């Protein structure tokens, strides 16, 4: 499995491609460095299990530790609510994507623009296209994906990974953030 | 006012001398004076040009700005390129990424609209040849007065006979040539102007579709606005494989109707099966409900590889480009019938049927191009009858054992999955199959769109799609459903009945499930959505592959949507209008509400009608599997009328969404037609083009998008009830934007009063007036009176 | 045979009763009976459909099989994609890489042909509005009898008045809609059938171009087949920058002619400069030779940034998409004049000129859309006169010192070079400039196509293109040339004179330099090629940007090509036919040779004429800088007529070549029309679409491609002399394929006898007969007589 | 300068990309392994100088040592003839490219198909498109480029290199072949 190729073989990006998150530290550093991060979680978060733990739980931990507001897309809200976590917004993926391209948008709380958007759990090609929209039309924004597949249109992405490596990485990030 | 028609007034002049010439026995046949007169005066915009409706488009586009989702970082359209458009770079021609994306959308819309218009042209030419240009238009006997709402609205003419449509298509072809030229390097430089032209292409597309469907309804005796159009068989399981089987694929029905005629006139209808895929199938069942529909576009590979078809007849559009090879694999002769798709086959149009049939039967040829539908009818039937007994259904699908053996070749390289548009976990399923467990493969069948990319990708040459289909053999045998055949247009009387409830909001909306089968999770989701909205007493329309998919699912009682819900255009009806070109009846219905119910002038009066539909008629299109360029132009035709369209997740590949910003209050001001003041109308409909991530998200959005600024309080309360209820059930919790959708206390649904009021309080909500909304300053009554 | 024409026979009927209606005072105006009659009977293929000429196309395509050069490994045309087409994979729609490449070519050809046809339509509509549909067609006074060879050949009609062209364009638009629909997902599946449709698009394109140019020649008084059309000024250095300067860019001349008319009627012609880029410039000088041409498309950025233009007027095609920003940078108002390119500007069409001018002068607006050429004329002139004194030529090019300072910011990242389509060594030149040496930049100017990609790419925001132009300031000041204005069609008498020598081979061939300016090494190579072939007594034609480039070079005596060589269609002439749409006169000339010289029936008789041209008329097109989709369709129109086209190295980006295989003897058999036998005709012309790596390779290939199977020995000897001579000089040594091109001893040029005979002996060459060649079995005379 | 990106930034290839020739040995091995190599030399061969020696001389040495027939394109023939080297054919680049896609073509000498085509000196984008044609339509043929820039559509290509590194590489190949 090639590390830094689009997971869907044909979704070839152009000259501008995501840097690889080879170690959790990198992701950790990026998140720490961000002044105003936001996380966008798609329906995949409910479907994936990482070593017995649902991805969604890992993400809740991450959001809590990192104090990152979470936008929940699609039909994923219930799973968050059930776990006692209140998303900052329920909003379709294209809607939050669209708002993020507006340099005048002051965020969900009306305070300030976001500088980092962390995506996870959207359908691969939809995440690909939305990240492409942000790559081209939100130059002030960095994007990252926490999926286990390479998303070339993000600023940073994991490589295509086995579920095992991915789980270790995610856990690494969450644990580091806890420091 | 009198109207010229092509008819039979013949002026004979025995002798005429003029300065220029002298002639005798001159006979001039001119269009006659119609008895029926169309008293409606001409509106402001008959036959609009590229720029006529630009200001209307820009009004919509100001609210619904494109959110671009570039599908490629580059442009490769001319030899200056490729050009890198990342990071605000301009192409060698000076184009920006935004303009390039809109340009690509325009190109797709031009291709789509041309496809329908070219189809309409071929169909019309054929039907005029066969039935005469004087053949009267008849879409609904006495129940339909406004026979061609789009033609009247756009062109400002009232067609009476088939021949009247010629000039309509002339106009469409002229506009499409203009529009396509705009995509040339170095033409339009502004992204929104490109978008305005996309809307123009969409409008033209709907006119083209209307011509095509009205022509075939009128000439071929399809159901005429009939809510009780017959039910037809649907599904692989409905075919009697012991009989000779003909398969038709495509969109242009004449070859199929000739096949049926040939069988009928020889009393052979029960001796053979006529089966179809895609729109030709839908239209063929409108001609004879004895014909059978196999499935939407995605059923092509699985049906052909089942070996069942003895002869395959293709016409145009949505045909797999590898159909010739696939047909050859199962030893089924292929007949191509359209100049648009010749498949490299020898042209046998001018040969006698005996010879062609003999060549097919002897195997001398495996395919032929026959550009004469009547000859196709004869050749297809005779070949099928002759070949079936000796062919023995050359099946290409592996047996269970073969399947396991094939699966064992798998190296787990995951290239199949990486090629699958739906990222299906194929390699897991193959691995399991190698160990004898085929349930994973069987499960994939439901989500698979039958594209075959997994096979192309497999380095081990495992016929991945075939083993999926083979593993689901039992399912395919059980595919046996009923579908209401396409009824065509909506009756004027139906419009009159639902107009009030719709505009006043008692019927929460019209939801149209249209377009192709590029579904993220198979056909079933469309059926489920249809049923849910019908149950909630929306008016549900279907067409094209979605109309087929809507029928491919049974509820607990074993009934399909079409068996449960009536076919009438009313609350809780599921109205299959027909094939892709029948989509024009859906936009036509919206137009007819403005015209018949609200008595807005129709003729050449596009802006006012669109303004009406946009602000008052709660219609939403859903193209859950939108795949094609036609889907792009169909959607664009809805947008210009102010009708939002929801697509599935693959829809983001259309390069951009048109999204409103409910959080920007200033975006949602409208004129109050009573006072001329600009007042807040609320963020409704919130979006014009929206891709949903999941079926659930789509359904909730659809419920929201039926809201319109002029909803009565009662109507808004019903719409809110549906929206909130669906949100709670499908997404979880209350929606976060209720306060933006409630305008007055009276809007609040009684059953949800408490929850809602809590939110309103939190959000410091205050009441605002319900306007008489319009985006057009000229519609302000005060100024009119002044 | 009588012919109906739009004319002035008016039938008045006082009262008429029929079954259907009763009417009074009916006045029917019908087309009159033309006095002139066209006795030629209708040929077999008037108004051909998508498939009518398919068998002819497939004959050519069997010889010239596509060599595919995929420009991308993927297809991204629908939402099933992107699809990976590498390694024989099929797309989700079943398409193969070969078919996908041909489909892309078809798309380009459709865009190109639509662009010309849509342009023709707008032009015709405008000219009919202004001059009446009865305005007579006049392309060459009494010197031209066959006024519209393509229209006659393709449509089978003989146009007399402007109005007669309406139905011709109706036909073009209909075909284009059909063709575009073929590019839809799931239509044509065969690559060669796609190619046949490419040829169809090309043929339509030439008809559309013919209509456009004939209409403007007839109505606007352009030179009428005039070999002595005046010379006009060409080049940046010809502009008097002290005067107010108007710049027109594009292809649609009416706004420019209105500007000239406004100036003329007010006696202001000497008070202002009217300058142009691209085809509008060419056509404007056909209207008034006082107007000035700045240069081809690639001069846009450099001229605008010079700050010289005070007002910029754009119409349609080949306009930089960023022209509005560029105009704003130099504070020049921009007037958009076409619905095809609105640039996002406010529509001021219906405002009074006073207001618009005032808004421009005050700076309230920086651009406006004005869809009325007359109003454009007034507004442009008045604005330029008012604004020029206060604008002071807002130059954007850096001074020498600024340039050095900018160059110092360079980090040597090489991204500029990696963005440059011609891989120019920009970073070296910038580095040198940073050290004060600007000669490298100055040198780049000659090769630079002015695309601006280097600037977009530069992370240091160095305005790379501007510093190149600034470094070459002296050169730009010296750009002062003369060009013969476009003469339009070729006279019948010229055809009669050269027909014999051409077909017999005394004139070695017709070489047409056409199309855009995407040159690998700047404009100069075109000029050099033109002069070389004129010197060798070929008939040289030029058009479009190539016609401009051909004039932008002086020989040792300081003369440009147009000053040295005559403008007549004769050996050693350099014939500027005009703008891009004038290309139709070049294909038209080839057709006229078959019709006038060889007396082949013309009317609706495409195959026979093409067969004649292909086998007998040694014409070759050279589109050295072919860039656009129009270039693709123009080339395709030549291919269907059997005329080979040579493009520059960027031409490989058109996705495929059409190459013959001289090493496959079996490919080169033709019928001998005398005997009906299939005989070897030799590998001539060797290719139909060929991209050359260098100018030298192109010239040698051109010389070879003028050969035709029916060359007389004398003719072949002359052609061989040129070929071998050019090969020796430009490539080195004897060509390796002489033995394939000599048919008989008598073919061998005397001066090269020894060398050639040596080769022939080595290759064991034997004589073969010169056939009376045809690809059409129906042209065999024996069988006809039988 | 990125090693394995198209030299012209925008000429992004799809999923199938050239392997890198990182050391001369690799090229050497490929050439040795080939049964029927052919070399196609474009006009750039005349223009480039590598450390004082013209590229063309290096290529002649390579062709002689490796007994590789040379097809000379464009206007390059004279320079070869002047150096006493007889190209196997003078033929335009698109012509030789086209012949190479024909599985039935038995080569310039009519004996057998080629299995390796070595390109050098064509204009970058023309070489790009011709190599693309071969990548897609000559599956039995391997291609290599000796240019100093990365050509993704070849089977093997040098990385984007400085003239110096490139010269060293070329010399390495020639010298190895001499063994
Ligand atoms: S736009 Fe499409 S065809 Fe063009 S380079 Fe991008 S992916 Fe390839
Ligand atoms: S159309 Fe423009 S952006 Fe596209 S390849 Fe051509 S020059 Fe580049
Ligand atoms: S055929 Fe089905 S499983 Fe295979 S790639 Fe297509 S959708 Fe996926
Ligand atoms: S592509 Fe073929 S070999 Fe690879 S995982 Fe899929 S089925 Fe197995
Ligand atoms: S719905 Fe789409 S896929 Fe189906 S027939 Fe219509 S256009 Fe084709
Ligand atoms: S048109 Fe065919 S090859 Fe292209 S993206 Fe669509 S399915 Fe794939
Ligand atoms: S403007 Fe000239 S130098 Fe710059 S990239 Fe274009 S061609 Fe090259
Ligand atoms: S891109 Fe700019 S900084 Fe880089 S080498 Fe070119 S001029 Fe210098």
């Amino acid at each position: 499995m090639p590390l830094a190729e689009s997971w869907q073989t044909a979704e070839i990006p152009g000259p501008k491609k995501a840097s690889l998150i080879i170690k959790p530290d990198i992701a950790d550093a990026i998140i720490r460095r961000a002044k105003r991060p936001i996380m966008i979680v798609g329906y995949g978060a409910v479907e994936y299990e990482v070593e017995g733990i649902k991805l969604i739980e890992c993400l809740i931990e991450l959001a809590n530790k990192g104090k990152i507001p979470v936008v929940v897309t699609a039909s994923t809200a219930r799973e968050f609510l059930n776990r006692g976590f209140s998303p900052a917004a329920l909003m379709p993926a294209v809607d939050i994507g669209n708002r993020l391209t507006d340099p005048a948008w002051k965020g969900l709380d009306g305070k300030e623009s976001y500088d980092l958007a962390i995506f996870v759990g959207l359908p691969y090609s939809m995440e690909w296209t939305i990240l492409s929209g942000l790559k081209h039309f939100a130059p002030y924004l960095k994007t990252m994906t926490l999926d286990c597949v390479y998303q070339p249109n993000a600023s940073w992405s994991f490589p295509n990974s086995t579920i095992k490596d991915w789980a270790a990485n995610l856990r690494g990030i969450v644990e580091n953030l806890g420091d | 006012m009198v109207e010229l028609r092509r008819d039979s007034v013949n002026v004979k002049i025995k002798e005429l001398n003029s300065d220029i010439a002298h002639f005798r026995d001159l006979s001039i046949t001119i269009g006659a004076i119609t008895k029926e007169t169309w008293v409606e005066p001409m509106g402001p915009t008959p036959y609009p040009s590229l720029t006529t409706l630009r200001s209307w488009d820009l009004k919509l586009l100001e609210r619904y700005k494109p959110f671009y989702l570039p599908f490629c970082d580059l442009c490769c359209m001319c030899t200056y390129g490729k050009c890198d458009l990342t990071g605000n770079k301009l192409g060698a021609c000076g184009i920006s990424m935004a303009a390039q994306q809109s340009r690509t959308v325009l190109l797709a819309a031009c291709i789509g609209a041309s496809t329908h218009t070219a189809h309409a042209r071929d169909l019309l030419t054929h039907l005029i040849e066969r039935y005469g240009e004087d053949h009267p238009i008849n879409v609904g006997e006495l129940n339909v007065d406004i026979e061609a709402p789009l033609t009247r609205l756009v062109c400002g003419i009232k067609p009476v006979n088939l021949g009247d449509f010629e000039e309509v298509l002339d106009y469409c072809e002229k506009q499409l040539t203009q529009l396509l030229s705009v995509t040339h390097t170095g033409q339009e430089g502004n992204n929104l102007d490109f978008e305005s032209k996309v809307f123009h292409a969409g409008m033209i597309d709907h006119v083209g579709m209307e011509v095509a469907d009205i022509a075939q309804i009128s000439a071929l005796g399809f159901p005429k606005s009939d809510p009780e159009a017959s039910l037809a068989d649907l599904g692989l399981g409905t075919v009697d494989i012991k009989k000779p089987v003909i398969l038709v694929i495509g969109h242009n029905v004449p070859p199929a109707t000739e096949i049926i005629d040939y069988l009928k006139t020889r009393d052979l209808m029960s001796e053979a099966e006529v089966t179809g895929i895609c729109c030709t199938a839908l239209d063929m069942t409108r001609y004879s409900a004895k014909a059978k529909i196999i499935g939407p576009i995605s059923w092509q590979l699985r049906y052909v590889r089942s070996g069942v078809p003895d002869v395959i007849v293709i016409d145009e559009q949505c045909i797999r480009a590898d159909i010739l090879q696939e047909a050859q694999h199962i030893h089924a002769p292929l007949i191509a019938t359209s100049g648009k798709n010749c498949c490299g086959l020898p042209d046998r149009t001018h040969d006698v049927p005996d010879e062609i049939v003999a060549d097919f039967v002897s195997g001398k040829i495996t395919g032929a191009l026959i550009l004469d539908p009547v000859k196709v009818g004869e050749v297809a039937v005779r070949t099928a009858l002759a070949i079936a007994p000796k062919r023995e259904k050359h099946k290409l699908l592996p047996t269970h054992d073969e399947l396991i053996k094939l699966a064992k070749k798998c190296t787990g390289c995951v290239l199949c999955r990486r090629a699958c548009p739906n990222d299906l976990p194929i390699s897991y399923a193959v691995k399991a199959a190698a160990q004898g467990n085929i349930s994973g493969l069987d499960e994939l069948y439901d989500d698979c769109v039958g594209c075959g990319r997994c096979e192309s990708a497999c380095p081990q040459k495992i016929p991945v799609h075939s083993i999926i289909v083979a593993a689901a053999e039992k399912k395919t045998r059980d595919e046996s459903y009923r579908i209401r055949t396409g009824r065509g247009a909506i009756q004027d009387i139906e419009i009159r009945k639902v107009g009030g409830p719709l505009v006043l909001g008692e019927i929460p909306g019209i939801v149209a499930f249209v377009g192709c089968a590029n579904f993220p999770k198979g056909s079933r989701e469309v059926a489920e959505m249809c049923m849910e909205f019908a149950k909630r007493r929306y008016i549900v329309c279907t067409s094209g592959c979605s109309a087929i998919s809507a029928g491919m699912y049974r509820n607990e009682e074993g009934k399909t949507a079409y068996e449960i819900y009536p076919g009438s255009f009313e609350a809780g009806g599921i109205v299959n209008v027909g094939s892709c070109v029948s989509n024009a009846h859906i936009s036509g219905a919206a137009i007819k509400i403005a015209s018949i119910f609200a008595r807005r002038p129709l003729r050449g009066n596009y802006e006012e009608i669109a303004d009406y539909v946009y602000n008052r008629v709660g219609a939403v299109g859903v193209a859950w599997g939108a795949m094609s360029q036609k889907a792009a132009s169909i959607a664009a035709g809805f947008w210009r009328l102010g009708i939002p369209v929801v697509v599935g997740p693959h829809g983001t590949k259309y390069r951009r969404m048109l999204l409103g910003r409910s959080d920007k209050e200033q975006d949602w001001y409208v004129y109050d037609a009573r006072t001329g003041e600009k007042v807040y109308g609320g963020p409704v409909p919130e979006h014009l083009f929206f891709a949903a991530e999941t079926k659930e998200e789509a359904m909730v959005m659809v419920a929201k998008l039926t809201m319109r600024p002029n909803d009565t309080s009662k109507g808004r309360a019903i719409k809110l009830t549906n929206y909130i209820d669906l949100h709670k059930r499908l997404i979880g919790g209350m929606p976060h934007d209720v306060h933006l959708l409630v305008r007055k206390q009276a809007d609040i649904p009684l059953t949800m009063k408490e929850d809602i009021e809590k939110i309103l309080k939190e959000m410091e909500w205050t009441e605002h007036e319900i306007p008489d909304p319009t985006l057009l300053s000229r519609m302000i009554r005060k100024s009119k009176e002044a």
Side-chain angles (χ1 to χ4, degrees), chain A residues 6-9 14 42-43 73-75 77-78 92 94-95 99 102 105 122 128-129 132-133 135-137, chain B residues 67-71 73 84 97 418 420 423 652 659 661-663 687 690 693-694 696-697 728-731:
Chain A
S6 281
W7 172 244
Q8 295 207 331
T9 314
Y43 86 107
T73 71
S75 25
R78 169 169 305 105
V94 293
D95 258 328
R99 280 170 176 57
D102 177 1
W105 187 52
L122 297 184
W128 198 96
T129 45
S132 171
K135 170 168 106 175
H136 288 282
F137 293 95
Chain B
F67 168 36
Y68 292 109
L69 305 151
F71 201 28
D73 288 355
D84 170 11
M97 182 52 112
R418 293 182 61 208
C420 176
D423 198 14
T652 55
L659 301 177
R661 285 284 297 272
S662 62
D663 59 326
H687 301 306
F690 173 86
E693 187 181 339
T694 59
E696 291 76 19
E697 187 173 279
K728 282 181 163 172
R729 225 184 70 209
L730 301 176
I731 289 190

Side-chain angles (χ1 to χ4, degrees), chain B residues 72 74 76 82:
Chain B
C72 180
L74 313 166
C76 60
K82 302 194 199 87

Side-chain angles (χ1 to χ4, degrees), chain B residues 425-491:
Chain B
I426 308 169
S427 50
Y428 296 141
V430 177
K431 207 185 277 173
Q435 281 142 20
N437 173 7
I438 64 166
S439 66
L441 288 173
D442 179 39
E443 268 170 46
L444 290 179
Y445 180 84
D446 300 321
D447 293 0
C448 164
V449 296
C451 69
R453 281 204 328 220
C454 43
E455 288 188 7
S456 272
C458 178
Q460 302 305 312
K461 297 203 194 314
I462 300 171
V464 186
H465 182 58
S466 286
I467 67 173
I468 291 171
V469 178
E473 203 206 344
K474 192 186 157 315
K475 273 186 197 154
T476 62
R477 258 187 284 119
D478 288 351
E479 283 178 7
S480 167
Y481 313 99
R482 302 281 282 165
I483 178 174
R484 190 171 307 285
T485 56
R487 57 165 279 178
I490 311 305
Q491 299 176 6

Side-chain angles (χ1 to χ4, degrees), chain B residues 71 320-321 451 453 627-629 655:
Chain B
F71 201 28
R320 284 191 66 89
C451 69
R453 281 204 328 220
M627 167 277 287
S628 65
Q629 297 84 13
R655 271 74 172 175

Side-chain angles (χ1 to χ4, degrees), chain B residues 550-571:
Chain B
M552 295 183 82
Y553 171 60
R554 305 178 172 288
N555 72 354
E556 306 80 50
E557 288 124 62
K559 299 229 145 143
T560 64
Y562 295 108
E563 292 166 305
I564 307 169
Y565 297 98
S568 43
F569 194 78
E570 64 180 26

Side-chain angles (χ1 to χ4, degrees), chain B residues 166 247 294 417 433 475 564 576 710:
Chain B
E166 303 249 25
L247 165 62
I294 298 302
R417 178 174 189 164
K475 273 186 197 154
I564 307 169
N576 174 12
N710 89 316

